[in-house]
Amino acid sequence: MKLRRWTAVAAVALATVTALNTLPATAGRPYDPTAQSLGTLGLRHGLHVGTAVDMAALNDPADPRYRELAASEFASVTAENVMKWESLEPTRGSYDWAAADELVAFAKRNRQSVRGHVLVWHNQLPGWLTSGVEDGSISTQELRELLRNHITTVVSRYRGKIWQWDVVNEAVSDPWDTPSTLHYKGFWAEHLGPGYIADAFRWARAADPRALLFYNDYNIEAFGSGDPADDKTQFVYDMAKRLRAEGVPIDGVGSQGHLGTQYGNYDTLQVAAALKRFAALGLATAFTEVDVRSRLTDGVQAGDSEEINPRLQASAANFSVLMKACLAVRSCLSYTVWGFTDRHSWVPGWFDDPPEGLATLYDEDYQPKRAFYEIKSDLIFAGPPYVLPRAIHKPRRAG
Ligand code: G3I
């Protein structure tokens, strides 16, 4: 009886290993994982590897490589700017859907999922909204109604077409803000109080019953002191836990992943531990805006390889830490980079004193950098069929 059971277990194990070792091959050519896109390699694990898309670059006829790579290398896309409120409703009451629709159609043509970014944020709001609140012509009650209408209108338009929505973005302060004790910050908290967060999730859910609804923020890749007064990850964790307990329809927490090689950053175990804690709340997770910038020192700008190489390697290591942690935790559903080429990255425009850059997977000439190959190898070597149980080596007898 026992023997029969063990024979059955062994047969199943053998069949599993054999199946995992069977590699897809095309017409006589051996399957070469290094020739696959990041998107394809990610989907082997059910993980969507995506990018933010700059619509101006996508439509620049002088820059065709951008469109080619956006279409071929990634399994998911996010609008870098064109789904933000100022882009969608530049004039009160009149929506301009052209660019956002175009991205959704692009994704459909290329069989890509779409992360919707962003419904509620304190930046890139239309001028009519912020000035109306400032001069008192928009009351608090009206502002709440405007927000509800905005969420309902946008989510309804793309109902069934958006996989994950960033419903609320960057609602929590940083330790360098005043006061330094972490708190709900920005336009919406100031005018509506923190209750807008739960409202936003409920309104989004009412407009699309199937989209995954995310809270999205930066500097929450790992836990720190565990004190919500100065540990942003803990603050966001406590918030998410409370929202879940109140029955608010939040499905996930997005960790942006904007890192810099000049900082200490994290190791894979720390990041995986954070993802696991969010998973234990019943939440999905995602890396939503990954890039790893570096200081553009005089040496870097002069092309000194002794200054450039360590930065490219540190950048690759940080991209890889987030990828490995994501692969290690099943509820981490997607890994999105915030732009894929240094030719089109928000970093140099944002951090110019001192100048920073080199933050993405491809250089300005669309040559893949070490970071690209590093996350590609993470995707290839994550488990079978390329990583198998260790081979058994018995000590040899003398011949
Ligand atoms: O659209 C105008 C254009 O008409 C004008 O000619 C040009 C001149 O500067 O500016 C254009 O607007 C810029 C816009 O990007 C579109 O390119 C803004 O100046 C610029 O500030 C804006 O920056 C965006 C930034 O969000 C604004 O907050 C970045 O591209 C975008 O990458 C960045 O994305 C955010 C995420 O949404 C949330 N997390 C952080 C992340 C990085 O800051």
Side-chain angles (χ1 to χ4, degrees):
M1 184 64 191
K2 243 186 190 165
L3 181 67
R4 217 181 295 151
R5 199 165 66 221
W6 278 112
T7 313
V9 169
V12 170
L14 190 67
T16 310
V17 170
T18 311
L20 289 170
N21 264 312
T22 309
L23 303 174
T26 38
R29 262 181 293 123
Y31 177 78
D32 175 10
T34 64
Q36 305 298 312
S37 68
L38 296 177
T40 302
L41 291 169
L43 289 177
R44 290 173 57 238
H45 307 287
L47 172 68
H48 290 226
V49 180
T51 183
V53 174
D54 172 342
M55 294 308 284
L58 194 73
N59 285 318
D60 183 353
D63 190 3
R65 191 72 182 131
Y66 186 91
R67 181 175 269 266
E68 282 165 23
L69 285 172
S72 63
E73 197 60 45
F74 300 95
S76 176
V77 290
T78 305
E80 185 175 357
N81 285 299
V82 298
M83 287 190 187
K84 292 171 181 173
W85 198 336
E86 73 170 3
S87 304
L88 290 178
E89 198 186 6
T91 310
R92 185 169 181 176
S94 137
Y95 274 82
D96 177 357
W97 300 107
D101 282 1
E102 194 193 327
L103 182 65
V104 172
F106 175 85
K108 190 173 180 200
R109 271 200 308 283
N110 296 301
R111 301 207 174 104
Q112 294 163 313
S113 60
V114 183
R115 294 198 80 262
H117 178 82
V118 51
L119 297 171
V120 195
W121 191 26
H122 53 266
N123 276 347
Q124 291 174 286
L125 290 170
W128 60 262
L129 181 76
T130 45
S131 59
V133 170
E134 214 166 288
D135 67 21
S137 60
I138 294 176
S139 69
T140 301
Q141 184 51 35
E142 197 180 355
L143 180 65
R144 192 165 179 276
E145 272 307 292
L146 282 165
L147 182 61
R148 188 170 68 82
N149 281 335
H150 177 73
I151 291 174
T152 307
T153 305
V154 177
V155 176
S156 301
R157 181 171 185 93
Y158 297 116
R159 181 182 167 130
K161 296 178 178 164
I162 301 279
W163 178 38
Q164 305 175 5
W165 264 115
D166 287 335
V167 177
V168 176
N169 192 43
E170 301 172 11
V172 180
S173 68
D174 296 291
W176 56 84
D177 286 330
T178 310
S180 63
T181 304
L182 296 186
H183 57 279
Y184 291 106
K185 71 166 181 200
F187 181 85
W188 296 105
E190 279 158 26
H191 295 288
L192 299 182
Y196 81 89
I197 297 174
D199 290 341
F201 279 97
R202 291 187 196 281
W203 293 330
R205 173 56 75 234
D208 187 340
R210 301 191 52 189
L212 292 177
L213 305 181
F214 275 70
Y215 175 77
N216 192 46
D217 215 329
Y218 58 86
N219 285 357
I220 57 165
E221 293 83 10
F223 284 88
S225 67
D227 178 354
D230 60 20
D231 179 348
K232 192 165 171 180
T233 313
Q234 187 67 46
F235 189 101
V236 169
Y237 175 88
D238 292 346
M239 175 195 77
K241 189 174 179 183
R242 224 169 20 247
L243 291 172
R244 290 272 296 134
E246 289 164 4
V248 174
I250 176 173
D251 299 304
V253 170
S255 174
Q256 295 182 0
H258 292 294
L259 303 179
T261 61
Q262 66 271 38
Y263 307 118
N265 298 323
Y266 313 104
D267 59 60
T268 308
L269 293 175
Q270 289 174 301
V271 178
L275 296 178
K276 281 183 188 156
R277 283 195 64 195
F278 282 105
L281 293 180
L283 293 169
T285 51
F287 288 107
T288 54
E289 306 185 11
V290 183
D291 54 16
V292 189
R293 61 188 187 272
S294 285
R295 288 270 165 85
L296 302 180
T297 59
D298 291 345
V300 169
Q301 294 188 52
D304 179 352
S305 58
E306 286 194 18
E307 294 223 8
I308 294 172
N309 286 337
R311 288 177 170 78
L312 294 181
Q313 289 171 25
S315 180
N318 284 294
F319 269 101
S320 175
V321 162
L322 300 189
M323 178 59 88
K324 283 188 288 217
C326 187
L327 283 165
V329 181
R330 293 183 66 210
S331 61
C332 183
L333 304 182
S334 58
Y335 181 104
T336 296
V337 293
W338 205 243
F340 57 88
T341 166
D342 291 343
R343 197 184 191 98
H344 302 287
S345 161
W346 71 292
V347 168
W350 204 263
F351 301 95
D352 55 0
D353 186 21
E356 297 182 37
L358 298 177
T360 72
L361 298 175
Y362 292 80
D363 71 14
E364 294 192 2
D365 300 320
Y366 294 109
Q367 292 308 305
K369 295 165 25 181
R370 191 169 290 279
F372 172 89
Y373 293 114
E374 207 54 38
I375 61 167
K376 187 168 201 169
S377 75
D378 291 335
L379 290 165
I380 293 171
F381 296 125
Y386 300 106
V387 179
L388 295 173
R390 299 306 85 192
I392 296 166
H393 285 270
K394 288 191 182 155
R396 286 201 179 86
R397 294 202 181 139

